[in-house]
Amino acid sequence: MTENPPTTDGVADSLRERINTSQPHTARIWNYWLGGKDNYEVDRAAGDQIRRLHPGIGEYARADRLFLGRAVRYLVEEAGIRQFLDIGTGLPTADNTHEVAQRLAPESRIVYVDNDPLVLAHARALLTSTPEGRTDYLDEDLRNVDAILEHASKTLDFSEPVALILLGVVIFVGDDEDPYGVVRRLVDALPAGSHLVLSHTITSPSMPDVDEAVKFWNEHGTPKLTQRSPEDVTRFFDGLELLEPGVVSCSRWRPESADGAEREEVAMFGGVARKN
């Protein structure tokens, strides 16, 4: 990629100052695993090393992306959701939330939230909208719940159901930062009929190489990760109606293909739940 990411306004210089190209970053490695070009050599080197420690880890990105598409299609077609608050957006790739939602319901409104400067640079250029709907972007941290809700309310109507999407982002909130409280405060602000879509890298005795990969990352990359067990991930849905099949490998959440590869378990678990 170019050393100067594209922007559409006068903030290019300040964004470049915030982009650290000397240390690998999760959003850029994720982009690399998905076959994107928005990454640096340091990210590719770290991504390759992580893949050597855990050869299947690159599939997490694909499984998580497919899970997002299936969840959004369910929310639009079966739950009637037309508003989405996607926190931890990551670098834009194919079939982003607004593309899937507005393809089915052009009037859908989406607010993306991320605090990565490279994501911000590309989001402003690439995250467009249908004429009937709207797509906005907020440069904010997941932990700053009040700021997120205040700014998102300018685009979303919080008296109507909203889908809160937290894919692979709560892993960056440490246990000492009250991750369950952060998610609960966001959910509490949403009306009945809203949904929570959440995915999280897990730790499991059957996948010890995942722990090695996470250890390597926390020693060399940023931001740091906090793994949790499947049971701990399920706790994020407490008080909500967890939809079938529950919290499972993202590849096994209502797969649409008969291809066995799509159903192969990965250490990225996810679920969808409704607020009643």
Side-chain angles (χ1 to χ4, degrees):
M1 63 172 293
T2 61
E3 291 301 310
N4 298 325
T7 58
T8 57
D9 54 29
V11 301
D13 290 339
S14 62
L15 284 175
R16 292 189 197 108
E17 291 175 359
R18 291 171 54 191
I19 297 172
N20 183 353
T21 62
S22 65
Q23 188 174 28
H25 193 283
T26 54
R28 302 192 307 247
I29 291 178
W30 208 252
N31 176 265
Y32 171 52
W33 284 336
L34 284 171
K37 298 179 180 179
D38 299 315
N39 48 76
Y40 296 92
E41 178 57 35
V42 66
D43 306 307
R44 295 188 287 274
D48 289 340
Q49 177 61 28
I50 293 171
R51 191 146 40 193
R52 281 191 288 271
L53 291 168
H54 180 53
I57 202 166
E59 290 302 309
Y60 297 3
R62 179 174 179 272
D64 200 48
R65 176 60 47 162
L66 292 173
F67 168 62
L68 170 66
R70 294 194 298 271
V72 171
R73 284 193 291 275
Y74 165 81
L75 292 168
V76 172
E77 295 179 328
E78 299 189 41
I81 299 294
R82 297 295 184 269
Q83 302 188 107
F84 298 83
L85 178 57
D86 187 336
I87 304 177
T89 306
L91 287 162
T93 57
D95 283 341
N96 301 288
T97 298
H98 75 287
E99 293 173 320
V100 178
Q102 292 182 343
R103 191 180 302 140
L104 299 169
E107 71 276 19
S108 296
R109 293 182 167 225
I110 297 89
V111 173
Y112 289 107
V113 182
D114 207 300
N115 66 344
D116 183 300
L118 188 58
V119 175
L120 172 61
H122 285 272
R124 292 185 172 185
L126 301 178
L127 298 180
T128 57
S129 175
T130 59
E132 303 93 329
R134 185 171 174 182
T135 301
D136 284 337
Y137 182 91
L138 173 61
D139 180 19
E140 193 56 83
D141 188 284
L142 167 63
R143 301 164 186 81
N144 298 331
V145 173
D146 292 340
I148 290 174
L149 294 173
E150 177 184 354
H151 290 284
S153 67
K154 298 175 182 178
T155 300
L156 306 178
D157 179 359
F158 283 110
S159 69
E160 297 292 332
V162 175
L164 171 62
I165 299 178
L166 300 171
L167 295 192
V169 63
V170 185
I171 191 173
F172 302 122
V173 183
D175 289 333
D176 60 340
E177 299 176 291
D178 191 19
Y180 298 101
V182 170
V183 174
R184 176 52 53 192
R185 288 174 61 201
L186 287 164
V187 172
D188 284 349
L190 307 180
S194 296
H195 287 67
L196 170 63
V197 182
L198 184 146
S199 70
H200 198 297
T201 303
I202 65 157
T203 180
S204 170
S206 64
M207 300 179 182
D209 49 350
V210 177
D211 297 338
E212 288 300 313
V214 170
K215 179 181 178 182
F216 170 85
W217 173 259
N218 284 339
E219 291 174 350
H220 299 89
T222 184
K224 307 307 180 187
L225 312 181
T226 298
Q227 282 179 284
R228 297 182 172 96
S229 68
E231 293 76 20
D232 289 336
V233 176
T234 302
R235 281 184 56 200
F236 286 109
F237 297 96
D238 283 355
L240 304 175
E241 178 190 349
L242 190 59
L243 305 184
E244 293 294 336
V247 176
V248 296
S249 169
C250 286
S251 57
R252 295 177 176 175
W253 195 88
R254 305 191 180 190
E256 298 169 343
S257 170
D259 182 2
E262 186 175 336
R263 299 171 185 263
E264 185 174 347
E265 186 174 66
V266 298
M268 177 69 74
F269 274 39
V272 179
R274 185 181 192 276
K275 181 178 180 179
N276 293 320

